[in-house]
Amino acid sequence: MTIIRTSVRTFKILPWGSWSLVSLYLSLFSGVIVGLQYNLQAPYYSSASLDLTVPFGMFFRSLHFYSSQLFFLFGVAHYIAIYDKVSELSTEQRIYLVLTLPVALLLLFTGYVLRADTTGFSAGMIAESIVVSVPIFGTFLNNLLFSIEANGLQRVYLHHVITFDILFLILAWQHLRKYTVPPHNHLLLLGLTVLFCSVVAAPLDPDTLGQLYITGPWFFLGLQELLRYIHPFIAGVITPMALVFMLLLLRRDARNCKLLLNLTLIWLTSYGVLTYLALYGHG
Amino acid sequence: MKPIAYKKKRSERRSILLIGCILLFYPVYQFLSHRIPKKPERIELPFNPTSTTFLIQDRFIVFSNPTKTWALSRKCTHLGCKLNYREKEDYLECPCHQSRFSTSGKVLRGPADKQLKHYKVTRNLDKESITVIIT
Ligand code: FES
């Protein structure tokens, strides 16, 4: 019992928020570097060339990939760690901060699509089909967000490098401007990330004809599995929105706090099961 | 200016801005809801139907038997992933949710429920190549 209590206390005092921000610095820096060699006309070719021929290309791509993942994961840990204090925020601020979650996910997601390998391509096509399935606004939203079939990766690229970043900053600005996180205070994290990325390459599917089983980005797997059984609008739009909606309402002093908390946990557990099924459930 | 009058003016300006944004939404909505139809593409390929039975390309796959030659889109009709041809089993399978299609494009197993798109194929005069028209 004491071990659990100590672990929880330690978890709560770790500087997740600062780590997330420092990882974001790394992600932005490496993103600019990678972007300078990325070619929108030949996305897979340029991603593969980065790994194979560009000096230090593999390192910078890996740095961009893993620092972005860390930014997201540390951000989630930060939210869980400060959950007790969420009720101190104004409603407007809480909404803004919760909305950074889907925007950060979209940033990660578009990154996957941009590498244009089999996983990225399939994820992009599935996303496009989901958006098109939205009643009335489907075509409009698809033309706004993806439109991969008609326009290639043009919009995905635009949103990855500009729109979603600006949106994230707008949503997080009120929160971020209160803190200064100088990178030199987190040299260990920076060093470890750089070291890790210099030995481990970011994933990229080989250009083989006919990959028989595709597992999409890790956070997309549960959704990919759900799409097997139910209509894309319910699986791909309503289900993720339900989580965001619950998170918007969830705070310590909310009237149905316990119920909301349980529903959120059920959602997350089910998503975990679906992810497991997507990974191992189909031979 | 008195603070109350100032506040009123500010909220009026905000309302005007909001109405402006709502009005602007309509042309933006119309603009983005329009889909420019794709220009048909003619793709010429070396393919001799008497000696070859199938040819896989990035977007489509060509099949032939002694009586005809046809091309199927490789876009899965469930959610758009790219289909693979499993030669031994003689069907097309989707890597995302494992929908299956026969070589004539019919659904053999879901979740997909629509058949595959067919593209027009013409045999060229040299008899050694074909033209596939992608629409
Ligand atoms: S996208 Fe092909 S089966 Fe789902």
Side-chain angles (χ1 to χ4, degrees):
Chain A
M1 210 57 187
T2 30
I3 297 179
I4 295 176
R5 225 173 290 146
T6 323
S7 321
V8 171
R9 209 173 311 136
T10 316
F11 177 80
K12 281 187 174 175
I13 56 169
L14 285 174
W16 300 109
S18 307
W19 289 348
S20 175
L21 203 56
V22 169
S23 301
L24 180 63
Y25 298 159
L26 264 186
S27 166
L28 291 174
F29 163 72
S30 52
V32 172
I33 304 274
V34 166
L36 292 172
Q37 288 282 11
Y38 183 77
N39 180 358
L40 199 51
Q41 307 309 322
Y44 179 74
Y45 178 74
S46 60
S47 306
S49 303
L50 268 167
D51 275 10
L52 298 172
T53 57
V54 180
F56 297 101
M58 187 187 273
F59 166 68
F60 283 117
R61 206 176 71 81
S62 173
L63 192 61
H64 186 53
F65 178 82
Y66 288 109
S67 57
S68 310
Q69 308 287 322
L70 286 178
F71 150 68
F72 176 74
L73 292 172
F74 287 149
V76 173
H78 174 55
Y79 187 81
I80 298 169
I82 54 107
Y83 168 65
D84 288 336
K85 294 186 196 147
V86 166
S87 23
E88 289 166 20
L89 298 170
S90 69
T91 311
E92 188 186 325
Q93 259 224 326
R94 215 181 59 249
I95 292 173
Y96 276 23
L97 288 177
V98 169
L99 289 181
T100 57
L101 176 84
V103 175
L105 269 175
L106 279 169
L107 273 168
L108 288 193
F109 183 79
T110 44
Y112 269 94
V113 177
L114 282 177
R115 72 186 203 209
D117 57 357
T118 325
T119 309
F121 173 80
S122 308
M125 292 314 282
I126 293 179
E128 179 158 352
S129 303
I130 291 174
V131 174
V132 169
S133 74
V134 174
I136 304 166
F137 295 103
T139 313
F140 165 76
L141 285 174
N142 182 42
N143 278 344
L144 189 70
L145 292 172
F146 298 110
S147 190
I148 299 172
E149 219 198 331
N151 301 84
L153 293 176
Q154 181 211 15
R155 282 164 173 68
V156 180
Y157 182 71
L158 176 79
H159 298 322
H160 184 73
V161 300
I162 302 177
T163 325
F164 293 145
D165 308 70
I166 292 178
L167 204 57
F168 181 85
L169 284 177
I170 290 173
L171 293 170
W173 180 244
Q174 287 285 347
H175 179 64
L176 291 183
R177 69 187 193 140
K178 283 190 238 150
Y179 307 98
T180 38
V181 180
H184 56 256
N185 286 355
H186 299 276
L187 289 180
L188 185 63
L189 172 68
L190 287 172
L192 285 176
T193 315
V194 168
L195 194 69
F196 179 82
C197 296
S198 53
V199 258
V200 181
L204 185 73
D205 300 334
D207 192 15
T208 49
L209 205 60
Q211 201 165 319
L212 293 180
Y213 191 74
I214 292 175
T215 47
W218 62 269
F219 50 84
F220 193 66
L221 282 173
L223 211 135
Q224 188 182 324
E225 183 62 15
L226 200 61
L227 285 161
R228 193 185 283 276
Y229 313 106
I230 49 178
H231 191 273
F233 178 61
I234 301 173
V237 181
I238 301 287
T239 310
M241 268 172 68
L243 176 70
V244 175
F245 194 66
M246 285 188 290
L247 289 176
L248 284 174
L249 298 175
L250 192 65
R251 48 177 219 278
R252 263 261 181 275
D253 55 353
R255 211 171 344 131
N256 300 321
C257 173
K258 204 138 202 173
L259 175 73
L260 281 169
L261 198 61
N262 285 336
L263 286 175
T264 309
L265 290 176
I266 290 172
W267 193 102
L268 291 172
T269 317
S270 317
Y271 201 79
V273 173
L274 285 166
T275 303
Y276 179 84
L277 276 178
L279 277 175
Y280 308 107
H282 304 284
Chain B
M1 201 183 290
K2 283 198 186 112
I4 293 181
Y6 173 74
K7 268 189 192 161
K8 206 173 148 204
K9 202 151 198 188
R10 199 175 58 177
S11 86
E12 261 170 28
R13 265 190 260 139
R14 271 192 183 168
S15 310
I16 292 170
L17 186 67
L18 189 70
I19 293 168
C21 288
I22 292 169
L23 289 179
L24 194 67
F25 178 77
Y26 182 72
V28 173
Y29 173 76
Q30 286 293 330
F31 182 85
L32 285 178
S33 295
H34 182 75
R35 211 172 204 174
I36 300 173
K38 257 202 215 153
K39 212 171 133 198
E41 238 179 288
R42 296 170 68 87
I43 299 175
E44 215 179 295
L45 297 164
F47 186 85
N48 185 345
T50 49
S51 56
T52 325
T53 52
F54 73 93
L55 177 70
I56 301 178
Q57 293 291 296
D58 186 44
R59 284 179 290 169
F60 58 86
I61 176 162
V62 184
F63 290 104
S64 88
N65 62 23
T67 53
K68 60 174 179 172
T69 302
W70 69 102
L72 292 177
S73 162
R74 284 182 68 193
K75 187 181 171 190
C76 177
T77 54
H78 178 221
L79 297 171
C81 293
K82 202 172 277 176
L83 300 166
N84 297 310
Y85 176 50
R86 300 186 73 157
E87 195 183 349
K88 228 166 81 198
E89 295 87 351
D90 198 33
Y91 56 67
L92 292 112
E93 189 176 70
C94 178
C96 291
H97 307 107
Q98 289 69 51
S99 282
R100 281 182 193 162
F101 301 87
S102 71
T103 50
S104 61
K106 293 218 173 67
V107 179
L108 299 176
R109 185 171 84 180
D113 57 2
K114 277 189 227 105
Q115 70 164 336
L116 294 177
K117 189 168 183 181
H118 280 248
Y119 295 131
K120 196 171 169 206
V121 181
T122 51
R123 277 183 80 172
N124 298 340
L125 288 176
D126 61 5
K127 298 223 163 37
E128 292 293 319
S129 65
I130 53 166
T131 301
V132 180
I133 301 163
I134 307 276
T135 44

